Amino acid sequence: MTSPAFGNPADALARARELRALIERWNHEYYVLDAPTVPDAEYDRAFRELQALEAEHPDAIAADSPTQRVGAAPAAAFGAVRHAIPMLSLNNAFDDDEVLAFDRRARELLGDLLTGDEPLEYCAELKYDGLALSLRYEQGRLVSAATRGDGATGEDVTANVRTIRAIPLRLQGQAPALLEVRGEALLFRADFERLNARQRAAGEREFVNPRNAAAGSLRQLDPAVTAARPLRFLAYGVGELDGGREPDTHSALLEWLLALGLPVGSQHRVLRGAQALLSFYREIQAQRQALPYEIDGVVYKVNRIAWHETLGFVARAPRFALAHKFPAEEAVTDLLDIEIQVGRTGVLTPVARLRPVFVGGTTVSNATLHNEDEIRRKGLLIGDAVVVRRAGDVIPEVLRPVLERRPAQGSGEFASRLRVFEMPRSCPVCGSAVVREEGEAAWRCVGGLYCSAQRKQALLHFAQRRAMDIEGLGERLVDQLVEGGLVRTPADLYRLDAATLAGLERMGEKSAARLIAAIERSRQTTLERFLVALGIRHVGEEVARQLAAEYHDLDPLIAEDWAARQAAKTEVQKENARRRSRAQELLPVPLEGVGPEITDSLQRFFAEPHNRQVIAELREAGVRWDAPRAAQGALLAGASFVLTGTLPTLSREQAAQRIRSHGGSVSASVSRRTTWVLAGEAAGSKLDKARELGVPVIDEPEFLRMIGEEPE
Ligand code: D41
């Protein structure tokens, strides 16, 4: 982390003073009040900036600077406990190079203890994101418990720890006369969710994350409150030990603690060499979200305990261990603006425009805010500093404003810099009215296909893979087609020519020709896909499948009296209820999965003349689907196909669809029963198998001619 360079020592001093005041306040909020106002990453950044400043200007270091101690003094409410052996901190690594340097240094220091270039053995474990605790067992009984505090002195939390069921009051088996166990107190995710639900129900303040909830639960003045909190503990080491023999390796130590009845994380592993550590890191990172508790990295420890002393310490951190941290999942940035996106069905979605920020391993600059209630619930103002979270592959989320960054209300700065978000009273794209329907969170533009935003989204929906599958018709192209007035409805797509397309931005003749070919191919589809493509509200793939299976063709769907159909269905359901109570045989329910919301939507869609017009135009343009069963062409009836390799123009799905629509079937492997193998580029073992069994092999052009289509 870089600090702004302060050439002028007076500026450096002022900045250092400012940072110290900030950090002290955050420490107090975090350690004493259990109510942090900034994410850890923000704290770390300020801390490192102060460290860097003090390194550049040693005269700027004050004896009471937060950099001169670790952690915080114990709260006065709990008795102080001096740790007989200090609880050290861990050095952090944020990238691979730091891990390699750690390994190199350890090997150098161990020198002759290692033979030749044999790799150093480590025990790797998870870095639990909790609160460090020390537990003292005398003659196998729990006698005291203390928090880490500043490493030298912690708080006596014995009464509270005794209420934690995850911590044994008596050890099992051969316990030593004195054993000080060190580990982390934490809350599992599921327990945290339940705890917050309970807090909510009781009208109490919710916790920001499991770690703060764990800290808050442990540092309760009333042990009865701690007892009601589902705290856990995971052991990772030993402090004082008397009257027992410490195992030779850290991995054996963990096994020993487990045998004594202490909870130990299940993921520790013995590894040799730095590359193995890096693989472990990546493996755990991939599993991170699936773990029952939060971790913020992994920890590597030289496995042979006798070598820990040889390696020694730097400041307050041992040289035998290293914490390899994951990228922070939360960061603070500015909410620059809230813009409105209009979706396919006209829903107005507020989207946060953020000052780009690196979080969870990527740069985030936008995040959906869902709807206006969500913005109000979170209390966000445009111009706020906000906490952004991106965990794993989950979409980024704006969690909350950093209230302490907000100037006092009423001051001039407040008025000029911060703005309350207002949902627009008309569509920002087309100017049509917006309505909020009863029981819905979203505002909707009533402009329909008059609204160019909805038109664009409708076209993208029409062309998507699950619908008409027009490859290459992406967002940028649709923008140009709609804005240039070239395309208004999906039917217009079938009137485009290559010359027009080639004139568009980022379009060469080749890509124009490819797109035209893709549009051509999409004419042959299935009723199910066509129904999905129309974008009728509530009609997705599953509903489309049911409708296609029941109606076989579009005209009876258009002609259907959906209200009557729904009424008839309700009658059948009532009749069935009567029959059920009399244990009689039930009648089949028509369109089982198609409820009134869907039939209403179908009724409304097909009643709209514009929609019927577009459907008619699409049919005129040659869009067709597999004919109703009775009249189905039996070109490939009874033929069994196997597809292999990449075909020149058809996707696998498109080829399979054509085979099925002509009465053939597709199977995964070649056997004597296979009629044809349809092979493309880079065909593999299936092709060999076909040759072996003498199954005829055809290519795409042959296939297309077979079903009466013209190859390109
Ligand atoms: O999971 C952890 N948070 C963790 C913390 C761990 N797995 N191992 C640790 N090992 C140590 C040493 C090597 C110094 C005994 C630690 C910590 N320390 C630690 N926790 C809080 C400060 C230091």
Side-chain angles (χ1 to χ4, degrees):
M1 192 85 309
T2 55
S3 67
F6 288 101
N8 180 346
D11 288 348
L13 252 131
R15 177 66 181 154
R17 212 176 306 123
E18 193 181 347
L19 287 168
R20 277 200 289 269
L22 259 181
I23 293 166
E24 286 296 359
R25 190 164 91 228
W26 291 342
N27 273 345
H28 181 78
E29 287 165 348
Y30 187 101
Y31 285 105
V32 183
L33 306 179
D34 286 328
T37 56
V38 291
D40 295 0
E42 184 72 359
Y43 178 98
D44 290 345
R45 202 169 297 128
F47 198 88
R48 271 174 283 165
E49 188 188 340
L50 181 57
Q51 275 179 323
L53 263 176
E54 291 178 339
E56 265 174 63
H57 304 273
D59 49 329
I61 305 179
D64 63 354
S65 175
T67 57
Q68 301 306 297
R69 60 168 187 182
V70 180
F78 295 95
V81 177
R82 218 174 155 75
H83 299 298
I85 299 176
M87 289 183 80
L88 301 170
S89 53
L90 284 166
N91 278 324
N92 290 326
F94 294 94
D95 61 36
D96 290 4
D97 283 345
E98 290 175 284
V99 176
L100 299 179
F102 160 76
D103 175 62
R104 211 178 307 120
R105 180 111 180 97
R107 292 158 53 80
E108 268 167 29
L109 289 165
L110 291 171
D112 292 345
L113 292 169
L114 295 168
T115 51
D117 40 42
E118 91 185 91
L120 186 48
E121 189 177 278
Y122 294 95
C123 180
E125 60 196 40
L126 308 187
K127 189 171 183 304
Y128 316 115
D129 199 5
L131 183 83
L133 267 190
S134 152
L135 311 174
R136 275 178 87 87
Y137 287 90
E138 288 176 13
Q139 313 301 342
R141 286 163 187 269
L142 179 69
V143 294
S144 66
T147 63
R148 178 167 177 275
D150 63 5
T153 308
E155 296 160 299
D156 183 346
V157 287
T158 310
N160 288 341
V161 164
R162 285 183 163 284
T163 71
I164 302 174
R165 275 182 283 177
I167 294 178
L169 295 174
R170 296 184 73 157
L171 296 179
Q172 298 167 4
Q174 285 280 313
L178 169 65
L179 173 68
E180 183 199 344
V181 182
R182 291 176 175 182
E184 208 83 2
L186 71 168
L187 275 174
F188 281 22
R189 291 183 210 269
D191 293 329
F192 166 74
E193 297 300 340
R194 272 193 291 272
L195 173 59
N196 259 355
R198 227 162 63 200
Q199 294 285 105
R200 210 162 33 236
E204 304 266 337
R205 188 169 56 96
E206 286 181 54
F207 295 99
V208 171
N209 58 42
R211 186 172 42 134
N212 292 312
S217 302
L218 198 61
R219 299 177 65 266
Q220 284 290 329
L221 292 174
D222 179 2
V225 177
T226 308
R229 303 273 170 87
L231 279 163
R232 308 284 191 121
F233 177 80
L234 291 171
Y236 58 67
V238 162
E240 262 194 300
L241 173 64
D242 190 27
R245 219 177 80 84
E246 191 175 31
D248 291 337
T249 60
H250 183 71
S251 51
L253 179 88
L254 294 178
E255 297 305 330
W256 180 55
L257 293 175
L258 192 63
L260 288 170
L262 289 154
V264 173
S266 57
Q267 300 259 18
H268 57 272
R269 201 178 301 163
V270 175
L271 299 168
R272 317 188 87 224
Q275 287 307 325
L277 299 182
L278 298 179
S279 313
F280 178 79
Y281 175 84
R282 286 186 237 299
E283 185 187 324
I284 298 297
Q285 191 169 28
Q287 299 173 15
R288 183 180 184 188
Q289 299 308 322
L291 290 171
Y293 42 78
E294 292 195 348
I295 58 173
D296 59 345
V298 295
V299 185
Y300 313 130
K301 294 172 183 172
V302 169
N303 205 19
R304 184 151 301 284
I305 291 173
W307 290 348
H308 291 183
E309 216 169 313
T310 318
L311 288 166
F313 309 87
V314 194
R316 283 158 156 190
R319 269 195 296 234
F320 65 80
L322 184 71
H324 192 180
K325 304 264 281 220
F326 293 138
E329 292 184 329
E330 288 182 15
V332 173
T333 190
D334 295 317
L335 176 56
L336 301 175
D337 203 355
I338 297 178
E339 289 175 7
I340 297 293
Q341 241 165 36
V342 182
R344 176 172 63 83
T345 58
V347 170
L348 272 55
T349 304
V351 177
R353 298 280 172 240
L354 303 164
R355 189 179 303 291
V357 62
F358 193 74
V359 57
T362 51
T363 300
V364 170
S365 44
N366 304 305
T368 175
L369 294 168
H370 306 291
N371 55 59
E372 64 170 345
D373 292 348
E374 181 87 355
I375 296 172
R376 206 158 302 140
R377 195 174 60 72
K378 289 179 172 166
L380 299 172
L381 296 181
I382 298 168
D384 261 330
V386 291
V387 179
V388 175
R389 180 177 174 85
R390 184 181 175 277
D393 290 332
V394 182
I395 58 166
E397 187 189 5
V398 176
L399 292 183
R400 58 180 181 275
V402 182
L403 291 176
E404 62 152 18
R405 294 271 190 92
R406 207 182 259 177
Q409 194 150 5
S411 82
E413 200 192 349
F414 178 85
S416 66
R417 201 168 62 82
L418 293 174
R419 262 187 308 130
V420 177
F421 168 75
E422 295 259 15
M423 205 69 190
R425 294 291 145 218
S426 59
C427 173
V429 176
C430 73
S432 298
V434 295
V435 294
R436 184 172 175 167
E437 274 163 45
E438 187 86 6
E440 282 196 25
W443 287 89
R444 216 177 271 278
C445 159
V446 301
L449 292 181
Y450 168 75
C451 176
S452 68
Q454 291 181 60
R455 212 151 55 214
K456 286 175 188 173
Q457 293 302 321
L459 286 165
L460 286 169
H461 177 86
F462 182 84
Q464 67 164 306
R465 202 175 51 78
R466 282 177 240 274
M468 301 300 277
D469 194 12
I470 306 178
E471 208 182 312
L473 191 65
E475 209 160 318
R476 228 193 296 266
L477 196 57
V478 166
D479 278 355
Q480 290 188 65
L481 291 173
V482 170
E483 269 152 36
L486 293 167
V487 171
R488 283 185 54 85
T489 75
D492 295 335
L493 290 172
Y494 294 94
R495 301 185 193 112
L496 289 170
D497 57 64
T500 313
L501 286 178
L504 297 173
E505 263 173 62
R506 294 166 190 269
M507 265 300 222
E509 265 171 39
K510 261 202 179 140
S511 37
R514 254 199 306 275
L515 182 62
I516 290 291
I519 293 173
E520 289 295 315
R521 274 197 305 276
S522 76
R523 284 193 167 103
Q524 173 65 49
T525 183
T526 63
L527 177 57
E528 185 185 317
R529 281 167 171 275
F530 186 73
L531 285 171
V532 172
L534 289 177
I536 306 165
R537 261 183 95 187
H538 308 303
V539 180
E541 275 177 292
E542 184 46 42
V543 172
R545 197 170 1 259
Q546 286 198 39
L547 292 173
E550 173 112 3
Y551 288 83
H552 306 299
D553 206 351
L554 190 66
D555 295 314
L557 269 160
I558 297 177
E560 182 65 284
D561 179 344
W562 291 101
R565 179 92 209 220
Q566 193 57 48
K569 182 175 168 183
T570 310
E571 279 313 309
V572 173
Q573 284 168 327
K574 277 190 198 151
E575 173 60 23
N576 275 349
R578 274 193 290 275
R579 291 180 173 217
R580 202 172 290 118
S581 65
R582 294 184 207 132
Q584 289 171 330
E585 202 175 321
L586 303 186
L587 300 172
V589 180
L591 292 174
E592 186 88 69
V594 180
E597 224 184 9
I598 301 170
T599 47
D600 272 4
S601 171
L602 287 162
Q603 181 82 50
R604 231 173 298 164
F605 185 89
F606 290 123
E608 174 64 56
H610 170 85
N611 290 334
R612 287 212 302 268
Q613 174 69 26
V614 170
I615 290 171
E617 285 178 29
L618 284 166
R619 283 170 142 173
E620 251 163 65
V623 172
R624 60 195 177 273
W625 40 90
D626 41 353
R629 289 268 169 259
Q632 189 157 46
L635 280 172
L636 303 177
S640 164
F641 280 74
V642 171
L643 302 173
T644 178
T646 311
L647 300 176
T649 75
L650 295 175
S651 69
R652 248 163 205 274
E653 206 165 22
Q654 289 168 331
Q657 181 197 314
R658 279 168 171 71
I659 292 167
R660 289 196 199 98
S661 73
H662 289 287
S665 64
V666 180
S667 67
S669 58
V670 182
S671 73
R672 280 180 209 288
R673 280 191 296 277
T674 308
T675 322
W676 307 99
V677 168
L678 173 51
E681 192 89 1
S685 60
K686 289 180 191 173
L687 189 55
D688 300 337
K689 186 79 193 261
R691 296 208 171 109
E692 193 188 308
L693 296 175
V695 174
V697 176
I698 55 170
D699 61 8
E700 186 188 283
E702 276 178 85
F703 168 70
L704 290 175
R705 274 190 291 271
M706 201 182 250
I707 58 171
E709 285 186 45
E710 206 53 48
E712 268 176 49

